[in-house]
Structures are given as C-alpha cells and as structure tokens.
Amino acid sequence: MYLHGTSKINEQGHLVIGGCDTTELAAQFGTPLYIVDEALVRQRAREYVESFRASGLKFQVAYASKAFSVMAMCAIAEQEDLSLDVVSDGELYTALKAGFPAARIHFHGNNKTPEEINMALDANIGCFVVDNFNELYLLNALAGDKGKKVNILLRITPGVEAHTHDYISTGQTDSKFGFDVGNGTAYKAIQEASAQPNLELLGVHSHIGSQIFEVEGFVMAVDRVAGFAVQVRDELNILFRVINLGGGFGIRYVEGDTPLPISQYVKAITDSIKSNFSAAGYPLPEIWVEPGRSMVGDAGTTLYTVGTSKDIPGVRKYIAVDGGMTDNPRPALYESRYEAILANRANDPVEENVTVAGKCCESGDKLIIDIELPKANNGDLLAVFCTGAYNYAMASNYNRIRRPAVVFVKDGAADVAVKRESLDDIVGNDLIPARMQQASAAK
C-alpha cells in the first residue's frame, strides 16, 4: 500500500498519521473525521518556496484557499510566508479572522459582487485578479469612491488545453474565466485597464487547469503569455511586472497517477520565463503561482466507520460507511478515484472486492468503486487517502447530514481545527414563518 507523508502502520496493524493512532482518533473525535497531516502540508509549502528561491526570480507562492479554507490552514500559510488567494467574501473573511496579512491576499472570481469588492477594498488586500470588463469598471468606480488606487492582474485565457477533466480545465478558449488572448479581448482589456485612474495594472494571470502531471502545458502557457507581453510592450508601451501562472499541479490519488516533484514543475516554469523574456530583452517579471490541491491534497485522510453491507451475487458487494457524498462529492461530480485501507486492520490480507457506498439517499453516492480489502465488518474503520483538497471545501448538509470535524495531527498531538456540526447547527438558521405557526395553532 502507498502511504503519504507521516502515515505508517504500527505493530497493532493500525494506521498512524502524525504520530496519532487513527483508532484512538476515531474514539476521541468520532467519524466521519477529516485528518490533516500538518507536517506534510508544511513540507509542501517549503518545497514551493525553496524551489522558487533557487530560481533567483522574484516570486510569490499563494495558497489557493478554495482547496481547503479554514482558519488553521490560513495560519499555516501565514507562518510559512505564503500569500493567499480567495474567491469569495467567506474565504476573505476566514483569512482576515485568522489574522492573515491583507497585503498578501489576492482576490479571484468571475462574478465578484459589489459587496465583496467593497469588503476587500476596506481590508486593503494586495491585489484583485480581474476577470471581465464589468468587474474592471466596477472595481475602478468603487475604488474611486474610497479614494484608493488598487493593484490588479487581468486574468487571460492563453488557449492552452490541459490534459485533465473538462470540469477542471480552464485555460482553453471556451472558458467562463478571463479575457481571451486569441480573439483580441485580452489586448482590449489591457488598454481599458491602463486607462482606469484607480487601478494599477501589475500584469496578467493565467491558469490552465488542475491535476496536471506534465510540464509541457505550463511551458506552452509561458510561451503564449510571454508573446502577449512582448506584443503589449511593443504596441502599447506597457510592461508586465507580474506574471501569475496559477496552479494545477497534480498529486497522486491512485496507482498510475504520476505527478512530478514540485521542484520539477517550478524549474520548468522559471526556466521558460527566463528564456522567453530574456530573448525578447524584457525585464524578468515577478512570478506568482497558486498551488492548492498540491499543498493539502495528499495531507488529508478521511476516516469512516463501516456499517451495513449488501452482497449481490455475480454483480458486486457493497459496504456502506457513515459518510459519503456529503463529505466527499468529488466521485459523484467527476468520477474521482481514491485508495483506502481498513485503518484498524491494515495488515490483514485482502479477501474481497467491494464498492464503498455512502449513506446518502442517492444511487450515485459511491466513494470508491471496486477496491480490494480485507473482509470488512460492522465497526471497522475505513481510511480514504488524499482527501485534503476539495472535500471539506465542497461538503454539504444533503439529507441534513452533519459535516465532520477536522483535526490537525503532528508529533503525536491532535487538535480540532473545525468542530463537528451538531443537530442544532443543522436547524440553526431555520425559521417557521409566523403565519404557519398560527395555522398550526388554529388546528
């Protein structure tokens, strides 16, 4: 079996993460339970920072908080000298409540509301990544109302199609994000942005997709962005001081996934920046990137308790766990695959092929289809690996199921970062209108 980070199997055959026995974590905190290997998160952050330092270029590594936005993760990002990108008032509020420096926050999104923009302006965030003309003019007006001039990047689509799922591919021409380079929209956006009195154009942002296992797409994106930068310099006399190349660096979910070392992605990007811009006699820009999944994905494990089972002879056997698509919707959304073990019997021999079903009232609530496991009994613990990104972030209360707790583990210590929701939390925002209460009383 493949174990990530600090994970290991102890003498009792129990999965241990961050020095903590998962059977003890289940007893103390209950299941389902999100477990985050803090040491691995910090290791990934340092790999990015150290790789960029080795390039000699100016840089910012911004954690893409959409992957996993909780105050404890924002605290780690601050401690590891990362910047932070946010895409909503909720993510911005989380960062600010965690004490993250506003000057290192970048605000993304294709439909920022006036309320969100004003909140970010009042917080004095470091940069807005502008996605469309409506936002460009709105941001200029709102900044002017406050007597401020704000830094912006323009998000552009360079026409690079990453080899990934359609739902997480964003750099191609047909994308809901950004200004297209190929049809001239990006060029017009540069002209318009430079003419706005309350906006300071730093450069451009490009993101080609997610879960990418090769460097060619990133190199091609640099080629396209550099060519665009040279055109803008030569025709408009505008220099880009910052090139943001987004994220999308892949991780290993299952056997056959072949992500590259972080240093290899970074070297390919920085080498391409140096060669393209130097050849054009262009001052080397500062490089920003936005890793999210690759920072936290393989540091997360979700722990479940096995409940019922159903054997359909000649078809398949199901085992059901006490979570499902409410805490991990990714398999239902885009057929994501995962590996898992019985955390309390990790050394037992494999006996059967099963499909792991969730408890939601949906036929599509299957976490893993066809996995080899020891015979799972009621009460066994199932640990599903690589659930640190887009699991808690996408969790829901479908069927009024409570969201799990999140614990960070490190050096034998386990600390709650998010409390498990209570039944009172589920109905906490519910109201029965007075007219309905009166109708009930009148019966």
Side-chain angles (χ1 to χ4, degrees), residues 45-61 80-82 266 270 274:
R46 291 168 188 174
E47 287 174 0
Y48 274 106
V49 171
E50 290 165 5
S51 295
F52 272 101
R53 279 197 186 124
S55 75
L57 295 174
K58 292 182 179 179
F59 69 93
Q60 282 192 46
V61 177
E80 298 296 336
D81 296 322
L82 305 180
V266 172
T270 54
K274 291 174 183 177

Side-chain angles (χ1 to χ4, degrees), residues 177-245:
F177 297 106
F179 302 95
D180 186 62
V181 172
N183 65 13
T185 307
Y187 188 87
K188 181 182 178 183
I190 295 292
Q191 292 176 301
E192 290 296 303
S194 63
Q196 305 306 308
N198 306 308
L199 306 181
E200 181 70 26
L201 178 62
L202 300 182
V204 293
H205 170 282
S206 165
H207 178 73
I208 61 173
S210 298
Q211 191 58 356
I212 299 168
F213 292 152
E214 38 78 29
V215 299
E216 286 76 14
F218 294 108
V219 171
M220 183 179 294
V222 172
D223 291 346
R224 301 272 177 91
V225 171
F228 181 60
V230 171
Q231 178 191 10
V232 168
R233 177 197 63 181
D234 293 347
E235 297 178 8
L236 300 177
N237 197 31
I238 295 172
L239 287 176
F240 296 159
R241 288 168 277 165
V242 173
I243 302 293
N244 188 329
L245 291 163

